[in-house]
Amino acid sequence: MAEKEENEIIEHHVSEEMEKKRSRTRDSHSFLESATISEKEGHSSTQSSHRLLAYSDALISIIATIMILPVAHTKIEPDQELQESLQQLLTTKIAVYLMTFLIVTVAWAAHIRLFQVIERIDDFLALLNLACMMLITFLPYTFSLMATFPEVPLGILLFCACAIVIGLIQAVIVIYGFGHPYLLNDHIQISENQTFYKRHILKIILRVPAFCFFAGIFSFIFFPLSYVLLALVIFLPYITQSLKWCGNKIVGRQEELPESMLLYSYHPSEPLSKERVEAFTDGVYAIVATLLILDICEDNVPDRNEVKEKYQGSLIAALSEFGPEFLAYFGSFVTVGLLWFVHHSLFLHVTKATRFMGLLNTFSLACVGGLPLAYQLTHEFTKNSRNELEAIQISCVIIFFAGIFQLAIWVTALFNERETLHPYVRYGGREHAFMFAKLALYPSVTLTTFFLTCILSKFSAQIFHLMQIVVPFAFLALRVLVSVALSLLKLVFRPAKPMHNALEEDESRLPFNDVVS
């Protein structure tokens, strides 16, 4: 009995000590938070970084997208074979566009990661960011020089010099931010490992200038090695992570990093600002939609004297000559708008974006940026010609890949659906089938159109324009079509079940990643 009372007394003292410890911890955290708040309030020169980030996203999206203009404005003679034109005129420019888009979006992703660490700015950081943006917007020009004169080292040197200075500016931003902790995000501010974070971030940022420095040196010695080093700047972190993931799978070790350790890790699940992904994506879609009208304004306004002489002053008769161009414009604008609509619907239900989802989004946007080229090609050639058929098929391929990468984003999110997706669109959710149908509509329709144009080549233009007309109405009726299809499937494959069995089945549903594993 005495031993029991003694144990109770010990337990009571232990619980009191634990409660005191918790209280001290809470007090210390409260003190740190209040100190942080008072410190932030005490620096009136600091401000939120939202507008600076919005400006940066807009600038980078513009510079990434307008590189399609040299490709879209490549002059192709009507009597030239399109395949020959693609080989001689377009292949190099398309490669330059894709590589430039990739390089610029890699710089944008690095900018996101940097300002996920630094959440507030002052005048000094704002000016440093402007210098960084100036150099990022100059990168496409250096890449054009590299593509046009691959054997001359000047293009590589300019590119490497820009990349080195950008990396050094970002390093200065990191050092300045950690020297003024009130500018950092809340997690790092209260962390006891600020020195570790600082060294880890600087090591990753300075890796790019180091590679570019050696690439610049080798451009004088053996320039193909310079291109290899520049490719490593982009792909080495992802290759390293892929090999590490494969090694863990072979050994059977499950690697789960906490959220805080995913920062600057190049892990596929590293968090990416969803708001900035949406802002950058909206910028690309808006610019592409705007680029479509430039050719209409430039090439499809008839000359005043020509209207008087050729059309007897009838402006309507003169404009009727441009009917195919207007049809191609409206069809292309509807395509861009509906692809944006699908992207908007997807990210409406995404709760967390990851690095791998951002990479897939970049591939989709690169295809969307090619739509002005598709618009230019679809109305440039003689009707029912071989060139027109190939131009329409190129348009189908561009739209197909723009849609399939959007679908891939959703599939990727399903593998970690509890963290990345709203419950409605998860596996078994009430909007799951509808979201799948919405994302699969464009890839399915464009693939069908492509094969129909191969079989019925004489009617390729009519089939393509019919597709552009039908798709908007298909989106309007999609929910009804999905409901009907699900009802038919349940009727065929699932006999009627008692209500309590249906409820038990709903409760026993597994998440998508558990089903796959």
Side-chain angles (χ1 to χ4, degrees):
M1 188 71 179
E3 186 178 353
K4 184 178 179 182
E5 289 178 356
E6 187 177 351
N7 289 336
E8 288 178 354
I9 292 170
I10 291 172
E11 288 177 3
H12 178 68
H13 281 296
V14 169
S15 62
E16 282 185 348
E17 288 297 323
M18 291 294 290
E19 185 61 34
K20 288 178 181 177
K21 189 174 181 180
R22 290 193 199 100
S23 178
R24 284 196 298 269
T25 304
R26 283 195 299 267
D27 291 342
S28 64
H29 279 294
S30 300
F31 174 77
L32 283 171
E33 290 175 3
S34 61
T36 300
I37 292 169
S38 62
E39 193 173 8
K40 286 181 180 180
E41 290 174 349
H43 294 82
S44 58
S45 61
T46 65
Q47 62 262 351
S48 172
S49 61
H50 292 316
R51 188 171 180 185
L52 177 138
L53 299 183
Y55 172 75
S56 301
D57 291 339
L59 200 62
I60 295 174
S61 63
I62 292 169
I63 201 63
T65 311
I66 62 172
M67 283 301 295
I68 195 63
L69 287 178
V71 186
H73 289 171
T74 300
K75 188 63 180 174
I76 302 173
E77 299 299 329
D79 56 345
Q80 263 185 306
E81 285 294 326
L82 184 56
Q83 288 182 337
E84 182 184 342
S85 299
L86 277 173
Q87 292 172 2
Q88 296 179 353
L89 300 172
L90 295 178
T91 305
T92 302
K93 291 186 177 182
I94 290 173
V96 169
Y97 161 70
L98 292 174
M99 287 303 298
T100 304
F101 197 98
L102 182 61
I103 289 285
V104 172
T105 50
V106 166
W108 168 74
H111 192 269
I112 287 183
R113 302 165 86 201
L114 180 61
F115 281 91
Q116 284 180 166
V117 174
I118 297 173
E119 291 190 345
R120 296 185 65 80
I121 61 167
D122 56 14
D123 292 346
F124 182 68
L125 288 184
L127 293 174
L128 283 177
N129 184 71
L130 285 177
C132 197
M133 288 298 106
M134 179 185 69
L135 292 169
I136 289 175
T137 56
F138 193 70
L139 287 178
Y141 176 73
T142 65
F143 218 87
S144 297
L145 287 178
M146 290 165 61
T148 308
F149 306 99
E151 70 285 350
V152 179
L154 181 61
I156 300 176
L157 285 175
L158 286 174
F159 178 85
C160 292
C162 287
I164 289 170
V165 177
I166 289 169
L168 293 177
I169 291 173
Q170 291 182 342
V172 171
I173 290 174
V174 170
I175 293 170
Y176 183 83
F178 278 90
H180 302 76
Y182 55 88
L183 299 172
L184 303 174
N185 68 38
D186 294 337
H187 172 76
I188 296 179
Q189 279 188 51
I190 63 174
S191 173
E192 297 177 356
N193 299 318
Q194 285 191 15
T195 305
F196 166 78
Y197 279 116
K198 179 181 174 182
R199 289 177 180 171
H200 174 67
I201 294 170
L202 284 174
K203 182 177 71 174
I204 291 177
I205 287 177
L206 293 175
R207 186 187 299 166
V208 174
F211 271 97
C212 290
F213 176 75
F214 287 110
I217 292 175
F218 280 107
S219 66
F220 293 101
I221 303 169
F222 185 62
F223 69 87
L225 186 57
S226 299
Y227 289 102
V228 173
L229 289 172
L230 292 178
L232 284 176
V233 170
I234 301 172
F235 297 111
L236 182 62
Y238 300 101
I239 295 171
T240 305
Q241 278 294 331
S242 300
L243 292 175
K244 189 176 179 182
W245 181 83
C246 292
N248 289 333
K249 287 294 181 182
I250 293 170
V251 175
R253 183 170 66 244
Q254 187 72 22
E255 183 188 25
E256 289 189 7
L257 294 175
E259 185 86 10
S260 59
M261 294 304 293
L262 288 173
L263 190 68
Y264 267 89
S265 66
Y266 283 99
H267 195 277
S269 298
E270 180 185 350
L272 206 63
S273 171
K274 178 193 166 187
E275 291 75 17
R276 292 198 64 185
V277 171
E278 291 175 332
F280 180 75
T281 303
D282 291 345
V284 170
Y285 276 101
I287 295 157
V288 170
T290 308
L291 290 178
L292 295 174
I293 196 60
L294 290 181
D295 292 320
I296 295 286
C297 295
E298 183 180 353
D299 301 330
N300 301 108
V301 177
D303 183 76
R304 181 184 291 272
N305 294 327
E306 186 180 358
V307 171
K308 286 182 179 179
E309 296 172 5
K310 188 176 179 180
Y311 301 99
Q312 290 77 45
S314 175
L315 182 59
I316 295 176
L319 290 177
S320 64
E321 294 289 325
F322 303 116
E325 285 86 346
F326 289 116
L327 184 61
Y329 163 71
F330 287 115
S332 299
F333 191 94
V334 167
T335 301
V336 173
L338 289 177
L339 284 170
W340 173 87
F341 169 70
V342 173
H343 189 279
H344 166 72
S345 302
L346 172 60
F347 272 78
L348 199 63
H349 297 291
V350 169
T351 55
K352 171 191 167 186
T354 63
R355 173 160 289 276
F356 189 61
M357 291 166 65
L359 183 64
L360 293 172
N361 189 62
T362 297
F363 292 151
S364 177
L365 293 179
C367 296
V368 170
L371 287 174
L373 172 64
Y375 158 73
Q376 191 77 12
L377 293 176
T378 50
H379 71 268
E380 195 160 281
F381 299 110
T382 310
K383 290 184 178 181
N384 299 324
S385 64
R386 180 71 182 173
N387 285 351
E388 185 189 51
L389 172 63
E390 291 172 356
I392 287 171
Q393 289 176 341
I394 289 171
S395 301
C396 289
V397 170
I398 291 173
I399 299 168
F400 171 80
F401 279 106
I404 207 70
F405 282 122
Q406 289 183 341
L407 180 61
I409 294 171
W410 185 60
V411 173
T412 301
L414 283 172
F415 280 94
N416 198 17
E417 58 183 11
R418 289 177 180 170
E419 293 184 9
T420 56
L421 288 176
H422 193 279
Y424 289 165
V425 294
R426 294 176 189 170
Y427 182 76
R430 69 187 189 192
E431 295 288 313
H432 178 84
F434 180 60
M435 181 58 67
F436 172 76
K438 190 181 286 188
L439 289 163
L441 182 59
Y442 255 123
S444 303
V445 171
T446 50
L447 193 63
T448 304
T449 304
F450 180 87
F451 285 115
L452 284 176
T453 55
C454 292
I455 299 168
L456 305 171
S457 57
K458 290 184 179 180
F459 306 100
S460 58
Q462 291 86 341
I463 293 170
F464 184 72
H465 292 312
L466 182 64
M467 179 269 289
Q468 291 181 314
I469 294 170
V470 166
V471 168
F473 293 100
F475 273 109
L476 289 174
L478 191 60
R479 188 174 291 276
V480 176
L481 294 173
V482 170
S483 300
V484 171
L486 288 177
S487 300
L488 290 174
L489 288 173
K490 287 178 182 179
L491 195 64
V492 172
F493 295 105
R494 285 178 59 182
K497 293 184 179 181
M499 192 64 186
H500 65 277
N501 287 347
L503 290 173
E504 288 176 3
E505 184 177 310
D506 285 343
E507 291 174 357
S508 64
R509 280 176 177 154
L510 291 173
F512 180 78
N513 51 348
D514 293 343
V515 173
V516 171
S517 59

